């Protein structure tokens, strides 16, 4: 699961989601927490809502590279 809190006026969220979709090698769930003023609460709430065992916390202004998610899974 990928948790991303952001404000609805974010200039970067669409680009962030584009790169996640384009560069992820594994199936994922995107948990978006919108307009929560307390970022720590937003992250915790996102983790609570996540359906996968592994949770990655990102900010809306982050860009991920190709196959960025491979290293989060044990082989």
């Amino acid at each position: 699961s990928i948790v991303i809190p952001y404000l609805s006026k974010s200039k970067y969220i669409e680009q962030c989601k584009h790169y996640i979709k384009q560069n992820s090698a594994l199936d994922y769930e995107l948990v978006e927490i919108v307009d929560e003023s307390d970022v720590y609460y937003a992250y915790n709430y996102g983790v609570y809502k996540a359906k996968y065992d592994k949770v990655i916390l990102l900010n809306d202004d982050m860009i991920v590279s190709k196959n960025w998610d491979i290293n989060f899974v044990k082989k």
Side-chain angles (χ1 to χ4, degrees), residues 6 13-22 30 32:
Y6 63 92
I13 188 61
E14 292 306 318
Q15 183 179 29
C16 178
K17 292 192 298 185
H18 167 78
Y19 280 102
I20 290 170
K21 183 177 181 178
Q22 177 179 313
L30 188 59
E32 300 176 60

Side-chain angles (χ1 to χ4, degrees), residues 1-5 26-33 40-59 68-69 71-73:
S1 297
I2 303 168
V3 176
I4 305 177
L26 305 171
D27 290 335
Y28 64 91
E29 162 198 37
L30 188 59
V31 180
E32 300 176 60
I33 310 298
Y40 301 108
Y41 175 84
Y43 279 130
N44 284 321
Y45 184 69
V47 170
Y48 173 76
K49 300 278 289 179
K51 68 179 183 180
Y52 290 112
D53 292 338
K54 292 181 175 57
V55 178
I56 298 165
L57 307 175
L58 294 181
N59 294 325
W68 69 281
D69 52 345
N71 292 320
F72 291 104
V73 178

